[in-house]
Amino acid sequence: MLSLRSLCLLKVSSLKLSYKEEEVPYTLVAELKKMLLFNGNFCGQDEIVFFGDTLKEQVLTIQYQGEGTWAFGICHKCDTCNLFMCDGEGRCGKQPEKLQFVLEEKKTCDSDEVFDIL
């Protein structure tokens, strides 16, 4: 759950509210600058030439939530079914697959946990 501080930082960042750096504590300015720099959605397309031509679209969402917390979201889908993206057990590459996870700065996490999500 996000703290009140994080919620306020996200709101100021999303609304792009103006503020005077000299009137705001340095730690808040630093966090707002991280949000401005990193928060957003990044998309791309790949052509998979393996068992036929397929276009794969993916979106990466990065959100610095303040207080050293980062949320990541990944969504991808293909425009056609193929043997590479569809496993015959109910998983179809045409259906969007969404993955989300949160990491905290200066805290270790087991890489197996992250890669199990991916």
Side-chain angles (χ1 to χ4, degrees):
M1 179 174 228
L2 295 174
S3 69
L4 181 58
R5 177 183 174 178
S6 290
L7 290 171
C8 291
L9 285 168
L10 287 167
K11 190 66 166 180
V12 169
S13 175
S14 69
L15 295 175
K16 296 182 173 45
L17 297 176
S18 62
Y19 57 90
K20 294 181 181 177
E21 288 188 22
E22 60 275 0
E23 295 177 0
V24 178
Y26 172 76
T27 56
L28 295 180
V29 172
E31 291 198 328
L32 286 167
K33 285 182 178 182
K34 277 186 188 178
M35 290 177 170
L36 181 63
L37 183 62
F38 294 107
N39 288 10
N41 298 309
F42 308 91
C43 60
Q45 294 181 338
D46 291 324
E47 189 173 333
I48 301 170
V49 185
F50 187 71
F51 298 115
D53 294 338
T54 299
L55 186 65
K56 180 179 177 183
E57 300 175 272
Q58 56 264 341
V59 176
L60 169 67
T61 300
I62 300 175
Q63 183 184 54
Y64 178 68
Q65 298 179 331
E67 302 178 301
T69 303
W70 295 81
F72 297 89
I74 301 167
C75 181
H76 58 85
K77 72 178 188 95
C78 292
D79 63 346
T80 59
C81 285
N82 66 37
L83 295 175
F84 180 68
M85 293 302 295
C86 300
D87 61 12
E89 297 177 10
R91 181 173 177 261
C92 176
K94 289 173 64 174
Q95 296 298 319
E97 187 173 350
K98 299 174 185 175
L99 311 163
Q100 296 179 327
F101 58 97
V102 176
L103 299 175
E104 294 183 43
E105 292 176 358
K106 299 180 183 177
K107 287 193 176 181
T108 60
C109 68
D110 187 358
S111 61
D112 291 338
E113 292 175 15
V114 174
F115 288 109
D116 284 344
I117 294 170
L118 299 175

